[in-house]
């Protein structure tokens, strides 16, 4: 059944019908479509646009459809043009004329703008929950390994010693920003387009505030053209998800490196690694690689949305039907990635001895050696030069800063004393970096605890705020 056959003399061509139809991907919004229709019908009844009795019958009918869909008693007809057509058709089959009144003062244009918002709002909150879980895992693992010394890198060259806990907390910070970005996106998305009609509003005396509040929106949209043609919320959510995926991808890249025999800083649990069909010794970090790979796909979805929108005149254009597959895929991909990534990080075995070995015996403490001289009164630039010369000597003669004899140190500068060895020990190097934001173990523990407290506060705060609008 089509909703728009009046002015046509022929059926739509079969292949064109399939091309035009969106049921294969918008049927996942069945619940939101029904919730939106219940709010619309309730408002139509309250405003006297549809008789109260009929409005109530419509709501009951819609609730019945939702229950039947959820219990599996009713299946979505894959031949329907879209989910809106299916629900309205089913309602009319059940109620007759009352069902036909549901679409009064509404267009599929404001209806679909509403459904996508309702659907994404829910998904956005679910993603935030998963990200909070990952941050939680990172904090716990950071506390566990707050004292594990590892090389910090720039240009993937050993640079200065840090702690593994500090490294993990860097990702926690990135993910906290992702959570707050999702929250912002969700806030801007949270306005109700119902009442925008096809593009020009409606002559019916609707109570748009009422529909908005019934659906848990902060208010109605303020311009009917924008109400039906805005897909910023899809682009913005996809952008948030793409940025988050980039974070997970960088983390994955590091995990892949850390798993290699060249690093061996971590070992993934068997449950989150795969083998090779030919090389019996292999244990591959496939999950991390897939997360890294799928990041390209999500960036692709964002590009799809931006490109799809960039040339569209106001108001609704059918191009916009393409919004759903792109943004849904971005949401699904992040959700799937997090579902695998969280337990992978939770269970990965950390090998602090190997991290320490990689940090020791090189020149990772050269800055601290220079700082030692600064502590004895030398200007930093001079101290830097002296230390550079010492490092060059060590490299040429097979020494490290740890085992270079004191007499040699003294040849380069008289301010060196026996306590230089203590000053450049890895523990001193990291323990001394207590500046706010630094890698000292006590900092890591304090920061991780601060974030854990923050998460707990968020959870406590959310209990009340989201009630009824999950
Ligand atoms: N399936 C359509 C979409 O996703 C619903 C809106 C249809 N409106 C229209 N005027 N054809 O955008």
């Amino acid at each position: 059944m089509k909703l728009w056959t009046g002015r046509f003399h022929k059926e739509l061509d079969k292949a064109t019908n399939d091309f035009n139809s969106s049921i294969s991907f918008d049927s996942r919004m069945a619940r939101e479509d029904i919730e939106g229709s219940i709010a619309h019908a309730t408002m139509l009844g309250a405003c006297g646009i549809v008789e109260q009795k009929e409005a109530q019958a419509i709501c009951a009918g819609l609730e019945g459809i939702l229950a039947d869909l959820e219990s599996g008693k009713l299946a979505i007809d894959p031949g329907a043009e879209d989910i809106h057509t299916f629900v309205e058709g089913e309602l009319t089959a059940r109620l007759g004329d009352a069902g036909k009144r549901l679409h009064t003062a509404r267009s599929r244009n404001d209806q679909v703008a509403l459904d996508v918002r309702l659907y994404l709002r829910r998904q956005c909150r679910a993603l935030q929950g998963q990200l909070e879980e990952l941050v939680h895992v990172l904090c716990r693992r950071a506390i566990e390994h707050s004292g594990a010394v590892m090389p910090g890198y720039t240009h993937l060259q050993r640079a200065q010693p840090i702690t593994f806990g500090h490294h993990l907390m860097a990702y926690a910070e990135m993910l906290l920003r992702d959570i707050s970005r999702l929250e912002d996106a969700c806030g801007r998305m949270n306005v109700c387009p119902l009442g925008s009609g096809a593009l020009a509003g409606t002559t019916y005396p609707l109570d748009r505030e009422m529909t908005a509040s019934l659906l848990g929106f902060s208010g109605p949209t303020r311009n009917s053209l924008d109400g039906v043609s805005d897909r910023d919320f899809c682009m913005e959510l996809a952008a948030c998800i793409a940025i988050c995926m980039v974070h997970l991808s960088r983390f994955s890249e590091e995990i892949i490196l850390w798993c290699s025999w060249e690093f061996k800083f971590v070992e993934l649990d068997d449950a989150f690694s795969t083998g090779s069909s030919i090389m019996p010794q292999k244990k591959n970090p496939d999950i991390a690689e897939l997360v890294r790979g799928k990041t390209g796909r999500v960036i692709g979805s964002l590009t799809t949305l931006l490109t799809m929108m960039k040339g569209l005149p106001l108001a609704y254009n059918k191009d916009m039907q393409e919004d759903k597959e792109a943004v849904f895929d971005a949401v699904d991909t992040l959700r799937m990635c997090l579902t695998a990534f969280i337990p992978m990080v939770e269970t990965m075995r950390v090998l602090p001895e190997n991290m320490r070995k990689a940090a020791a015996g090189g020149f990772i403490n050269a800055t601290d050696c220079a700082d030692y001289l600064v502590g004895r009164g030398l200007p930093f630039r001079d101290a830097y030069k002296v230390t550079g010369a010492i490092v060059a000597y060590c490299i040429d003669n097979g020494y490290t800063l740890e085992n270079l004899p004191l007499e040699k140190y003294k040849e380069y500068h008289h301010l060196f004393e026996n306590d230089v060895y203590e000053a450049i020990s890895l523990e001193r190097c990291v323990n001394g970096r207590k500046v706010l934001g630094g890698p000292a173990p006590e900092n890591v523990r304090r920061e991780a605890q601060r974030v854990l407290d923050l998460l707990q506060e968020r959870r406590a705060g959310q209990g009340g705020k989201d009630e009824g609008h999950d």
Side-chain angles (χ1 to χ4, degrees), residues 94-125:
R94 293 183 182 204
L95 302 187
D97 278 354
K100 293 190 212 156
R101 294 195 203 281
L102 167 63
H103 211 51
T104 313
R106 189 175 69 169
S107 154
R108 277 185 299 163
N109 296 352
D110 55 353
Q111 188 176 358
V112 73
L114 170 75
D115 291 4
V116 181
R117 282 179 150 93
L118 285 173
Y119 180 82
L120 292 180
R121 186 175 72 180
R122 203 166 251 144
Q123 297 301 320
C124 212
R125 287 173 185 164

Side-chain angles (χ1 to χ4, degrees), residues 135 137-145 150 162-175 251 254-255 258 266 345 348 350 444:
V135 173
V137 166
L138 287 175
C139 290
R140 279 196 287 120
R141 301 236 59 186
I143 292 172
E144 189 186 334
H145 296 288
M150 73 180 274
I162 56 167
T163 47
F164 188 58
H166 190 58
H167 200 113
L168 292 182
M169 287 307 293
Y171 284 104
E173 285 295 318
M174 290 146 92
L175 295 166
F251 199 173
E254 298 209 294
I255 289 173
W258 293 340
V266 301
V345 172
M348 79 184 172
V350 178
V444 172

Side-chain angles (χ1 to χ4, degrees), residues 20 22 25-26 81-82 84 107-109 112 231 316-318 320-324:
N20 188 53
S22 55
F25 50 85
D26 66 15
E81 182 179 334
D82 52 31
H84 328 297
S107 154
R108 277 185 299 163
N109 296 352
V112 73
R231 292 294 181 274
Y316 179 83
N317 299 271
K318 187 75 169 201
M320 287 154 73
Q321 179 164 289
E322 291 286 313
D323 61 355
K324 282 170 277 304

Side-chain angles (χ1 to χ4, degrees), residues 43-118:
M43 181 275 293
L44 290 179
C47 295
I49 298 165
V50 163
E51 272 180 35
Q52 268 297 1
K53 241 179 48 218
E54 264 183 328
Q56 279 160 8
I58 293 173
C59 291
L62 287 165
E63 263 152 26
I65 293 174
L66 182 59
D68 290 351
L69 281 174
E70 281 175 351
S71 70
K73 227 167 103 186
L74 174 66
I76 291 174
D77 172 12
E81 182 179 334
D82 52 31
I83 190 62
H84 328 297
T85 308
F86 171 75
V87 172
E88 193 182 320
E90 181 62 28
L91 186 72
T92 305
R94 293 183 182 204
L95 302 187
D97 278 354
K100 293 190 212 156
R101 294 195 203 281
L102 167 63
H103 211 51
T104 313
R106 189 175 69 169
S107 154
R108 277 185 299 163
N109 296 352
D110 55 353
Q111 188 176 358
V112 73
L114 170 75
D115 291 4
V116 181
R117 282 179 150 93
L118 285 173

Side-chain angles (χ1 to χ4, degrees), residues 33 94 96 98 167 183 209 246 292 294 363 368 394 405 437:
D33 192 72
R94 293 183 182 204
H167 200 113
E183 213 161 55
E209 298 281 352
V246 167
R292 188 177 58 183
K294 283 180 189 291
F363 301 96
D368 300 86
C394 287

